[in-house]
């Protein structure tokens, strides 16, 4: 009985298993540990080893002088560390080269110009290779553990999602700025006229929170907190009014500040 034909996977379908990656690595510290192994082995050429921050050059030196290590334990440890460092470099390559391609394109380079630099024979091949490279960049910048499939179609789809996220973040920032323009003056007036507000401990607590946050209130999260504190002041003053039967504000300016805050949080 003939086997049923397998349906081809969609070009934009993500890989089912995310690759295991080295990720963030303190390469200078690791190279420093390898340098120490060579110093302990009295490597007579250690003075020629590049600085710990010069990863590629340091790896070339460590590879060329691996025989200077005298014990099997040291050679084993150094070899595994070099494998990890080379893998880290491999992960960084696509990210850095994709950025260089973006810079070249921004500077007016055509795909035909990039073909020799990317070791391909045609502009279309350069374009496709660049798109595959961009998959690594999009995966690194995404909020998902699922990598972007290395096809032009998947990359275009991921770019559209990234653009949509960026647009949403811009809208959130614009809304936060608009909200701040309304909320900050109201909060400031509450502080200016706090002497005319009920001096209940709860009211004082929330006014203190406003005073601490207001000078550095910039991010959407901080603005949400500021709004929460202003709302709490109004809530506590109104609660005190209901329980005591006395006005929560003893001056005209304080009443005006409280009214402005109540109107804003009601929007």
């Amino acid at each position: 009985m003939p086997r049923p034909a397998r349906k081809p996977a969609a070009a934009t379908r993500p890989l089912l298993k995310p690759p295991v990656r080295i990720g963030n690595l303190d390469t200078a510290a690791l190279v420093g540990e390898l340098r120490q192994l060579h110093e302990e082995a009295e490597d007579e050429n250690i003075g020629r080893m590049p600085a710990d921050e010069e990863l590629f050059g340091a790896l070339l030196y460590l590879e060329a002088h691996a025989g200077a290590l005298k014990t099997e334990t040291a050679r084993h440890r150094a070899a595994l560390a070099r494998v990890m460092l080379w893998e880290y470099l491999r992960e960084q390559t696509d990210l850095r080269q994709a950025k260089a391609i973006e810079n070249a394109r921004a500077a007016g380079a055509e795909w035909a110009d990039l073909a020799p630099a990317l070791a391909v024979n045609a502009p279309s091949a350069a374009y496709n290779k660049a798109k595959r490279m961009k998959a690594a960049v999009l995966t690194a910048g995404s909020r998902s553990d699922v990598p972007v499939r290395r096809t032009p179609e998947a990359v275009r789809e991921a770019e559209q999602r990234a653009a949509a996220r960026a647009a949403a973040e811009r809208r959130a920032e614009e809304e936060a700025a608009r909200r701040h323009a309304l909320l900050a003056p109201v909060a400031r007036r509450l502080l200016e006229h706090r002497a005319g507000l009920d001096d209940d401990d709860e009211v004082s607590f929330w006014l203190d929170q406003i005073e601490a946050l207001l000078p550095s209130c910039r991010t959407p999260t901080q603005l949400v907190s500021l709004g929460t504190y202003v709302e709490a002041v109004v809530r506590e003053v109104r609660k005190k009014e209901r329980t005591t039967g006395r006005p929560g504000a003893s001056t005209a300016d304080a009443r005006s500040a409280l009214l402005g805050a109540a109107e804003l949080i009601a929007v």
Side-chain angles (χ1 to χ4, degrees):
M1 180 177 178
R3 297 176 61 184
R6 297 178 60 183
K7 296 177 62 176
T12 57
R13 182 184 178 187
L15 301 176
L16 295 179
K17 294 183 179 180
V20 177
R21 302 180 70 83
I22 298 295
N24 294 328
L25 183 66
D26 188 346
T27 58
L30 188 52
V31 171
E33 293 176 10
L34 296 178
R35 181 189 299 276
Q36 185 174 354
L37 288 179
H38 280 254
E39 289 174 347
E40 292 171 352
E42 299 180 349
D43 180 356
E44 61 184 19
N45 296 303
I46 192 63
R48 296 163 50 192
M49 180 176 168
D52 296 349
E53 292 77 14
E54 299 176 21
L55 179 55
F56 184 75
L59 278 172
L60 293 180
Y61 175 90
L62 293 167
E63 180 181 278
H65 296 84
L69 300 178
K70 296 181 174 61
T71 68
E72 182 177 350
T73 299
R75 289 193 294 271
H76 180 268
R77 179 180 170 189
L80 287 178
R82 292 204 317 275
V83 170
M84 179 182 291
L85 288 167
W86 281 117
E87 180 62 25
Y88 173 83
L89 272 180
R90 186 193 303 277
E91 290 178 5
Q92 301 307 304
T93 298
D94 282 353
L95 301 176
R96 305 303 176 188
Q97 193 172 19
K99 183 63 177 178
I101 292 170
E102 287 181 4
N103 293 342
R105 291 286 293 164
E110 300 292 340
W111 290 112
D113 302 324
L114 284 163
L118 289 170
V120 294
N121 297 321
S124 59
Y127 171 82
N128 288 333
K129 188 171 185 177
K131 285 297 182 183
R132 289 193 298 273
M133 234 173 272
K134 189 68 180 290
V137 178
L138 292 167
T139 297
S142 71
R143 297 168 186 169
S144 170
D145 293 331
V146 179
V148 177
R149 193 174 178 86
R150 295 169 68 93
T151 66
E153 296 85 356
V155 169
R156 281 193 294 271
E157 189 173 282
E159 285 176 328
Q160 291 169 357
R161 290 195 300 270
R165 283 197 305 271
E169 289 170 0
R170 285 195 301 272
R171 289 193 296 271
E173 290 172 358
E174 291 168 358
E175 174 60 21
R178 186 193 69 81
R179 183 72 173 168
H180 183 268
L182 297 173
L183 188 59
V186 168
R188 198 172 295 114
R189 287 198 69 205
L190 288 173
L191 295 178
E192 290 171 355
H193 303 292
R194 66 181 299 171
L197 295 171
D198 191 294
D199 61 356
D200 176 83
D201 287 344
E202 288 296 324
V203 175
S204 295
F205 172 79
W206 291 113
L207 287 170
D208 288 343
Q209 296 300 308
I210 292 173
E211 188 173 20
L213 178 60
L214 192 56
S216 61
C217 188
R218 298 290 182 273
T219 68
T221 299
Q222 290 171 326
L223 283 168
V224 169
S225 296
L226 183 60
T228 300
Y229 300 158
V230 169
E231 183 177 358
V233 169
V234 175
R235 182 182 67 245
E236 293 302 325
V237 170
R238 297 305 190 207
K239 183 190 299 183
K240 197 70 173 178
E241 288 177 335
R242 290 193 299 273
T243 57
T244 65
R246 298 194 308 268
S250 59
T251 67
D253 286 337
R255 284 193 295 273
S256 176
L258 188 63
L259 179 61
E263 289 176 348
L264 180 62
I265 63 176
V267 174

